[in-house]
Amino acid sequence: MKSITFFDLEIDANSHGIADIGGIKSNGETFHSTSIRDFLDFLDGTGYVCGHNIFKHDLKYMEKVISIVGAGGKTTLVHKLAREYHRSGKGVLVTTTTHMYVEADTDLSCDFFALRDKIIKDGYCMAGQKISEQKISEQKISEQSKSKMCGLPYDLLDKLIKGMPQALDYVIIEADGAKHHSLKYPAADEPVIYPGTTDVIIVLGTWEKGRSCKDVVFRYELMQKELGTAEDAVVDDSIIDTLRQVYVRKLRDSGFEGRVSCVFANERGWF
């Protein structure tokens, strides 16, 4: 017989945030925490989930935070997911932990009340903060990158997620950079995962198979140094799968315990 988990949410009457998630499995194992990510881990292996008023109450408070990493197709996937969730009636916030191009309707105010009101009114908001002139100078950021933004401060993002349980269903974060390459080998401090992330999607481009890795893979020199990949290696399925495995390993080594999936992009979309 498949296992059953019974659970219930306690919501703070003032903040409307999660005060406690309580769960018990059919084998007697119990759970108490405010962490959605830890609760999803607790559910691993569960065949059935039971509760009271799950669809009309509990799911409103269990938003997903999706970080998208990798290379070719990340930004396109960010906006595609945001559109699909928004069209289905969900509240969506788009931001980044690195740099991302500013869209016409992007909010750069970093004002909690302005962002909250926009999400409540429109059901969608793309938000970040301006890259300071000092940072542009110190990091030698190109003129083209001046049209980019960096991410919301983590404390503001925390406040939006915890303070809008009934209006904000999905936060979608571009959490990596590849400088327009279709594939990437991540450095030690990459990708940049927001601590509240529940799901990570790795995006890898496949449209340049057969080309030299050194022309296609961002940070290929690091890949050669760490993995001993040949100078004349070409992109094929084994190279792409190696990059996928490296991303998964680095995510787990960094302490990320949530869900990790991978999509492969070509000229027509994802598969």
Side-chain angles (χ1 to χ4, degrees), residues 1-60:
M1 178 179 176
K2 291 184 177 180
S3 64
I4 303 172
T5 296
F6 297 87
F7 84 99
D8 189 41
L9 264 63
E10 295 295 332
I11 304 302
D12 186 280
N14 295 316
S15 69
H16 300 288
I18 296 174
D20 182 55
I21 306 172
I24 183 168
K25 290 184 176 180
S26 50
N27 64 4
E29 185 180 356
T30 61
F31 176 89
H32 277 287
S33 173
T34 59
S35 170
I36 294 172
R37 184 170 65 185
D38 290 347
F39 180 61
L40 293 175
D41 290 340
F42 176 73
L43 289 178
D44 189 44
T46 294
Y48 302 98
V49 176
C50 297
H52 171 68
N53 214 10
I54 293 175
F55 292 101
K56 291 187 177 181
H57 179 266
D58 293 347
L59 292 184
K60 293 179 181 179

Side-chain angles (χ1 to χ4, degrees), residues 42 98 103 140 167 190 212 234 262 265:
F42 176 73
T98 55
E103 303 289 336
K140 298 180 180 179
E190 294 172 326
S212 171
V234 298
C262 184

Side-chain angles (χ1 to χ4, degrees), residues 4-181:
I4 303 172
T5 296
F6 297 87
F7 84 99
D8 189 41
L9 264 63
E10 295 295 332
I11 304 302
D12 186 280
N14 295 316
S15 69
H16 300 288
I18 296 174
D20 182 55
I21 306 172
I24 183 168
K25 290 184 176 180
S26 50
N27 64 4
E29 185 180 356
T30 61
F31 176 89
H32 277 287
S33 173
T34 59
S35 170
I36 294 172
R37 184 170 65 185
D38 290 347
F39 180 61
L40 293 175
D41 290 340
F42 176 73
L43 289 178
D44 189 44
T46 294
Y48 302 98
V49 176
C50 297
H52 171 68
N53 214 10
I54 293 175
F55 292 101
K56 291 187 177 181
H57 179 266
D58 293 347
L59 292 184
K60 293 179 181 179
Y61 296 89
M62 300 183 70
E63 60 278 300
K64 278 194 172 187
V65 180
I66 304 170
S67 288
I68 297 181
V69 306
K74 285 193 314 299
T75 304
T76 305
L77 183 58
V78 166
H79 291 302
K80 177 179 173 60
L81 289 176
R83 285 194 303 271
E84 289 181 353
Y85 290 139
H86 186 219
R87 286 171 184 166
S88 69
K90 303 298 184 183
V92 182
L93 172 65
V94 171
T95 189
T96 181
T97 53
T98 55
H99 295 136
M100 194 174 185
Y101 281 108
V102 174
E103 303 289 336
D105 58 349
T106 301
D107 190 311
L108 300 175
S109 69
C110 286
D111 181 282
F112 170 77
F113 297 103
L115 297 173
R116 181 197 64 181
D117 291 349
K118 185 173 178 61
I119 293 168
I120 292 173
K121 178 177 178 289
D122 300 334
Y124 169 81
C125 181
M126 180 174 176
Q129 57 184 320
K130 293 178 181 178
I131 302 174
S132 69
E133 292 298 325
Q134 180 181 1
K135 192 171 184 180
I136 290 172
S137 175
E138 288 175 352
Q139 299 187 6
K140 298 180 180 179
I141 296 173
S142 68
E143 288 296 318
Q144 185 184 30
S145 292
K146 290 184 180 181
S147 61
K148 289 188 174 184
M149 67 179 188
C150 51
L152 293 171
Y154 280 0
D155 59 345
L156 175 56
L157 188 51
D158 289 343
K159 189 175 180 182
L160 286 166
I161 292 171
K162 294 175 182 177
M164 303 182 59
Q166 291 181 298
L168 183 58
D169 301 291
Y170 289 92
V171 178
I172 305 175
I173 303 172
E174 185 170 304
D176 207 359
K179 295 192 175 179
H180 305 291
H181 287 67

